[in-house]
Amino acid sequence: MNIPEKDDKAINEIAAHYREILRLIGEDPDREGLVKTPMRAAKAIYDITSGYRKDPEEIVSQAIFEHSGSRIVVVKDIEFYSMCEHHILPFFGKIAVGYLPKDKMIGLSKLARIVDCFARRLQVQERLTAQVCDLLARTLPNDGVIVACDAGHLCMKMRGVEKQESSTVTYDYTGRFVEDYSLREEFLSFIK
Ligand code: ZN
C-alpha cells in the first residue's frame, strides 16, 4: 500500500478543519480547554481510521498454519470499535467468526487484527460483517465461513432513535453454511 502509516501533513490539515468545526458550532477554539483539542481530535480520528492504511490480506497470509481437523472452529467475543459512515459516530460490539477448516487454520490473535483492520474505517455494520467473511473465505483454505456481528450504534442511541438497550445483529456466511442449516445452528449455539 502507498499510504503511509502516519502522515503528519494529513494530521495537521485535519486539526485545522477541527478548529473550524469548533468555531462553526459556536465554540471559542482559543479558550484554554480547547487549544490542544483540534490536534488531539485529529490524532484520534487518524488512529480510529487506521484500517485504511493496513492490508488485511497480508495479515491473513502471515498467520496460516497446518491443521488436520475439519470440525467447525469458532472464535467469539472479538471486541471491535468502528464509526458509522453516515454520521461519523461510533458503533461497537462483538464479532464471532466460525469456519470449517480445509487442512489449514488461522492464528486466533490474527482474527482480532483482521476485524480491527475493517472496523477502523468508516463503516456500516452489514459491510463490516461481509468484509470479514469475504476476506476469510477468499484467503483461508476452508469449506465455509460464517460471521455474526452484534453492535450498538451511538448515532441511533444518542439521538433517541433507538432504545438504549437494543442492538443490531448481522450475519454473513459462505460455503457449506449456505446449504446446511444445521451447521448455522451449531455456530449459533456456540456463540449464545
Ligand atoms: Zn449512523
Side-chain angles (χ1 to χ4, degrees):
M1 291 195 130
N2 304 326
I3 315 156
E5 280 248 339
K6 190 170 173 295
D7 181 344
D8 288 332
K9 186 168 172 284
I11 291 171
N12 281 326
E13 273 184 49
I14 296 166
H17 286 293
Y18 268 126
R19 193 184 145 83
E20 264 310 282
I21 291 170
L22 288 176
R23 190 182 63 78
L24 290 166
I25 62 172
E27 261 292 358
D28 170 10
D30 292 318
R31 77 174 168 83
E32 205 190 335
L34 289 180
V35 171
K36 291 182 177 167
T37 296
M39 185 50 84
R40 278 195 216 100
K43 285 177 178 167
I45 195 75
Y46 203 74
D47 187 42
I48 286 164
T49 57
S50 61
Y52 289 117
R53 298 170 292 277
K54 297 213 164 82
D55 181 354
E57 299 199 7
E58 202 181 301
I59 301 171
V60 178
S61 67
Q62 292 166 352
I64 293 181
F65 306 103
E66 299 295 321
H67 178 62
S68 56
S70 59
R71 298 282 179 213
I72 186 169
V73 176
V74 178
V75 181
K76 62 178 185 174
D77 294 335
I78 303 169
E79 221 181 308
F80 77 88
Y81 294 85
S82 190
M83 300 284 265
C84 94
E85 70 181 20
H86 302 132
H87 304 92
I88 318 187
L89 285 171
F91 70 96
F92 53 93
K94 285 174 176 173
I95 283 185
V97 174
Y99 67 95
L100 296 163
K102 203 171 170 182
D103 307 321
K104 305 279 185 201
M105 54 176 266
I106 184 161
L108 298 183
S109 66
K110 292 296 189 296
L111 284 175
R113 284 189 56 203
I114 289 160
V115 167
D116 266 354
C117 185
F118 289 116
R120 290 178 171 225
R121 301 173 186 208
L122 299 185
Q123 275 289 10
V124 295
Q125 186 180 333
E126 293 84 349
R127 190 174 65 227
L128 170 62
T129 311
Q131 284 178 330
V132 172
C133 188
D134 171 68
L135 176 78
L136 291 171
R138 281 189 295 108
T139 55
L140 172 70
N142 70 84
D143 284 320
V145 176
I146 186 164
V147 176
C149 178
D150 187 343
H153 294 246
L154 289 194
C155 64
M156 283 151 82
K157 290 178 195 289
M158 288 175 79
R159 300 183 311 145
V161 182
E162 186 181 78
K163 290 264 180 276
Q164 292 296 319
E165 310 78 32
S166 75
S167 65
T168 307
V169 181
T170 48
Y171 290 105
D172 203 2
Y173 42 84
T174 67
R176 283 178 54 207
F177 290 105
V178 178
E179 305 133 32
D180 193 341
Y181 174 75
S182 67
L183 275 175
R184 299 205 295 274
E185 285 283 278
E186 193 182 357
F187 171 75
L188 293 176
S189 74
F190 275 132
I191 68 169
K192 281 254 154 65

